[in-house]
Short mmCIF file of all heavy atoms in Angstrom, two decimals:
data_model
loop_
_atom_site.label_atom_id
_atom_site.label_comp_id
_atom_site.label_asym_id
_atom_site.label_seq_id
_atom_site.Cartn_x
_atom_site.Cartn_y
_atom_site.Cartn_z
N HIS O 253 -15.89 -7.20 0.00
CA HIS O 253 -16.54 -8.51 0.00
C HIS O 253 -15.71 -9.46 0.86
O HIS O 253 -14.49 -9.47 0.79
CB HIS O 253 -16.65 -9.07 -1.43
CG HIS O 253 -17.39 -10.38 -1.50
ND1 HIS O 253 -18.77 -10.46 -1.39
CD2 HIS O 253 -16.94 -11.64 -1.67
CE1 HIS O 253 -19.13 -11.73 -1.51
NE2 HIS O 253 -18.05 -12.46 -1.67
N GLY O 254 -16.38 -10.23 1.69
CA GLY O 254 -15.68 -11.19 2.53
C GLY O 254 -15.05 -10.54 3.74
O GLY O 254 -15.51 -9.50 4.24
N GLU O 255 -13.95 -11.14 4.18
CA GLU O 255 -13.32 -10.73 5.44
C GLU O 255 -11.81 -10.89 5.34
O GLU O 255 -11.33 -11.89 4.79
CB GLU O 255 -13.87 -11.59 6.57
CG GLU O 255 -13.31 -11.31 7.95
CD GLU O 255 -13.95 -12.21 8.99
OE1 GLU O 255 -15.13 -12.00 9.34
OE2 GLU O 255 -13.26 -13.16 9.44
N ALA O 256 -11.07 -9.91 5.85
CA ALA O 256 -9.61 -9.98 5.86
C ALA O 256 -9.10 -9.86 7.28
O ALA O 256 -9.59 -9.03 8.06
CB ALA O 256 -9.01 -8.88 4.99
N THR O 257 -8.11 -10.68 7.61
CA THR O 257 -7.42 -10.59 8.89
C THR O 257 -6.06 -9.94 8.63
O THR O 257 -5.26 -10.47 7.85
CB THR O 257 -7.24 -11.98 9.52
OG1 THR O 257 -8.53 -12.58 9.72
CG2 THR O 257 -6.51 -11.88 10.85
N VAL O 258 -5.84 -8.80 9.26
CA VAL O 258 -4.65 -7.99 8.97
C VAL O 258 -3.77 -7.91 10.21
O VAL O 258 -4.21 -7.45 11.27
CB VAL O 258 -5.03 -6.57 8.50
CG1 VAL O 258 -3.78 -5.78 8.14
CG2 VAL O 258 -5.98 -6.65 7.30
N GLN O 259 -2.52 -8.37 10.06
CA GLN O 259 -1.51 -8.20 11.10
C GLN O 259 -0.57 -7.10 10.65
O GLN O 259 0.12 -7.23 9.64
CB GLN O 259 -0.73 -9.49 11.31
CG GLN O 259 0.45 -9.36 12.27
CD GLN O 259 0.02 -8.99 13.68
OE1 GLN O 259 -0.54 -9.81 14.40
NE2 GLN O 259 0.28 -7.75 14.08
N SER O 260 -0.56 -5.98 11.38
CA SER O 260 0.24 -4.83 10.99
C SER O 260 1.44 -4.65 11.92
O SER O 260 1.42 -5.05 13.09
CB SER O 260 -0.61 -3.55 11.02
OG SER O 260 -1.64 -3.61 10.08
N TYR O 261 2.48 -4.04 11.37
CA TYR O 261 3.68 -3.68 12.11
C TYR O 261 4.05 -2.25 11.73
O TYR O 261 3.81 -1.81 10.60
CB TYR O 261 4.86 -4.59 11.74
CG TYR O 261 4.61 -6.07 11.85
CD1 TYR O 261 3.92 -6.76 10.85
CD2 TYR O 261 5.07 -6.80 12.94
CE1 TYR O 261 3.71 -8.13 10.93
CE2 TYR O 261 4.86 -8.17 13.04
CZ TYR O 261 4.18 -8.83 12.02
OH TYR O 261 3.96 -10.19 12.10
N SER O 262 4.66 -1.52 12.65
CA SER O 262 5.23 -0.21 12.35
C SER O 262 6.74 -0.32 12.41
O SER O 262 7.30 -0.71 13.44
CB SER O 262 4.75 0.84 13.36
OG SER O 262 3.36 1.06 13.24
N SER O 263 7.40 -0.02 11.29
CA SER O 263 8.85 -0.16 11.25
C SER O 263 9.50 0.81 12.22
O SER O 263 9.07 1.96 12.37
CB SER O 263 9.36 0.07 9.83
OG SER O 263 9.00 1.35 9.36
N VAL O 264 10.53 0.34 12.92
CA VAL O 264 11.25 1.15 13.89
C VAL O 264 12.66 1.44 13.39
O VAL O 264 13.03 2.58 13.15
CB VAL O 264 11.30 0.45 15.27
CG1 VAL O 264 12.12 1.28 16.26
CG2 VAL O 264 9.88 0.24 15.80
N ARG O 265 13.45 0.39 13.20
CA ARG O 265 14.80 0.59 12.68
C ARG O 265 15.41 -0.74 12.30
O ARG O 265 14.99 -1.80 12.79
CB ARG O 265 15.69 1.27 13.72
CG ARG O 265 15.88 0.47 15.00
CD ARG O 265 16.70 1.25 16.03
NE ARG O 265 16.79 0.56 17.31
CZ ARG O 265 17.73 -0.32 17.63
NH1 ARG O 265 18.66 -0.64 16.74
NH2 ARG O 265 17.76 -0.89 18.83
N CYS O 266 16.40 -0.69 11.41
CA CYS O 266 17.17 -1.89 11.10
C CYS O 266 18.14 -2.15 12.25
O CYS O 266 18.68 -1.23 12.86
CB CYS O 266 17.96 -1.71 9.81
SG CYS O 266 16.95 -1.75 8.33
N LEU O 267 18.33 -3.43 12.54
CA LEU O 267 19.25 -3.80 13.61
C LEU O 267 20.65 -3.90 13.03
O LEU O 267 20.87 -4.49 11.98
CB LEU O 267 18.84 -5.13 14.23
CG LEU O 267 17.45 -5.15 14.87
CD1 LEU O 267 17.15 -6.52 15.46
CD2 LEU O 267 17.32 -4.09 15.94
N ALA O 268 21.60 -3.33 13.74
CA ALA O 268 22.99 -3.35 13.29
C ALA O 268 23.58 -4.74 13.46
O ALA O 268 23.08 -5.57 14.21
CB ALA O 268 23.81 -2.32 14.07
N GLY O 269 24.66 -4.98 12.73
CA GLY O 269 25.36 -6.24 12.89
C GLY O 269 25.25 -7.12 11.67
O GLY O 269 24.62 -6.78 10.67
N THR O 270 25.86 -8.28 11.75
CA THR O 270 25.89 -9.22 10.63
C THR O 270 24.55 -9.93 10.52
O THR O 270 23.98 -10.34 11.52
CB THR O 270 27.00 -10.27 10.86
OG1 THR O 270 28.23 -9.59 11.05
CG2 THR O 270 27.11 -11.21 9.67
N PRO O 271 24.01 -10.10 9.29
CA PRO O 271 22.76 -10.83 9.12
C PRO O 271 22.89 -12.25 9.66
O PRO O 271 23.98 -12.83 9.66
CB PRO O 271 22.55 -10.83 7.60
CG PRO O 271 23.35 -9.67 7.11
CD PRO O 271 24.53 -9.58 8.03
N PRO O 272 21.80 -12.85 10.13
CA PRO O 272 21.86 -14.23 10.63
C PRO O 272 22.38 -15.18 9.56
O PRO O 272 22.23 -14.93 8.36
CB PRO O 272 20.39 -14.54 10.97
CG PRO O 272 19.78 -13.19 11.17
CD PRO O 272 20.47 -12.27 10.24
N GLU O 273 22.97 -16.26 9.99
CA GLU O 273 23.54 -17.24 9.07
C GLU O 273 22.48 -17.74 8.09
O GLU O 273 21.36 -18.07 8.49
CB GLU O 273 24.13 -18.42 9.85
CG GLU O 273 24.83 -19.44 8.97
CD GLU O 273 25.46 -20.56 9.79
OE1 GLU O 273 25.43 -20.46 11.03
OE2 GLU O 273 25.96 -21.51 9.18
N GLY O 274 22.84 -17.78 6.81
CA GLY O 274 21.92 -18.26 5.79
C GLY O 274 21.05 -17.17 5.21
O GLY O 274 20.21 -17.45 4.35
N HIS O 275 21.21 -15.93 5.64
CA HIS O 275 20.39 -14.83 5.15
C HIS O 275 21.29 -13.68 4.73
O HIS O 275 22.34 -13.43 5.34
CB HIS O 275 19.40 -14.36 6.21
CG HIS O 275 18.44 -15.41 6.64
ND1 HIS O 275 17.28 -15.70 5.96
CD2 HIS O 275 18.48 -16.28 7.69
CE1 HIS O 275 16.64 -16.68 6.58
NE2 HIS O 275 17.34 -17.04 7.63
N SER O 276 20.86 -12.98 3.68
CA SER O 276 21.67 -11.88 3.15
C SER O 276 21.17 -10.52 3.61
O SER O 276 21.81 -9.51 3.34
CB SER O 276 21.68 -11.92 1.62
OG SER O 276 20.38 -11.76 1.11
N MET O 277 20.02 -10.46 4.26
CA MET O 277 19.42 -9.18 4.65
C MET O 277 19.44 -9.03 6.17
O MET O 277 19.29 -10.01 6.90
CB MET O 277 17.98 -9.09 4.15
CG MET O 277 17.83 -9.18 2.64
SD MET O 277 18.46 -7.74 1.79
CE MET O 277 17.14 -6.57 2.13
N PRO O 278 19.62 -7.82 6.68
CA PRO O 278 19.62 -7.61 8.13
C PRO O 278 18.21 -7.70 8.70
O PRO O 278 17.22 -7.69 7.97
CB PRO O 278 20.17 -6.18 8.27
CG PRO O 278 19.77 -5.52 6.99
CD PRO O 278 19.86 -6.58 5.93
N GLN O 279 18.14 -7.78 10.03
CA GLN O 279 16.84 -7.81 10.69
C GLN O 279 16.28 -6.40 10.82
O GLN O 279 17.01 -5.42 10.90
CB GLN O 279 16.99 -8.43 12.08
CG GLN O 279 17.38 -9.89 12.08
CD GLN O 279 17.49 -10.44 13.48
OE1 GLN O 279 16.94 -9.89 14.43
NE2 GLN O 279 18.23 -11.53 13.64
N LEU O 280 14.96 -6.34 10.80
CA LEU O 280 14.26 -5.07 11.00
C LEU O 280 13.44 -5.17 12.27
O LEU O 280 12.67 -6.12 12.44
CB LEU O 280 13.33 -4.80 9.81
CG LEU O 280 12.41 -3.58 9.94
CD1 LEU O 280 13.23 -2.29 9.85
CD2 LEU O 280 11.34 -3.59 8.87
#
Side-chain angles (χ1 to χ4, degrees):
H253 184 76
E255 179 179 287
T257 300
V258 182
Q259 173 63 73
S260 296
Y261 307 80
S262 294
S263 59
V264 177
R265 62 184 175 89
C266 287
L267 300 180
T270 304
E273 184 177 355
H275 299 276
S276 62
M277 300 290 284
Q279 294 180 21
L280 173 71

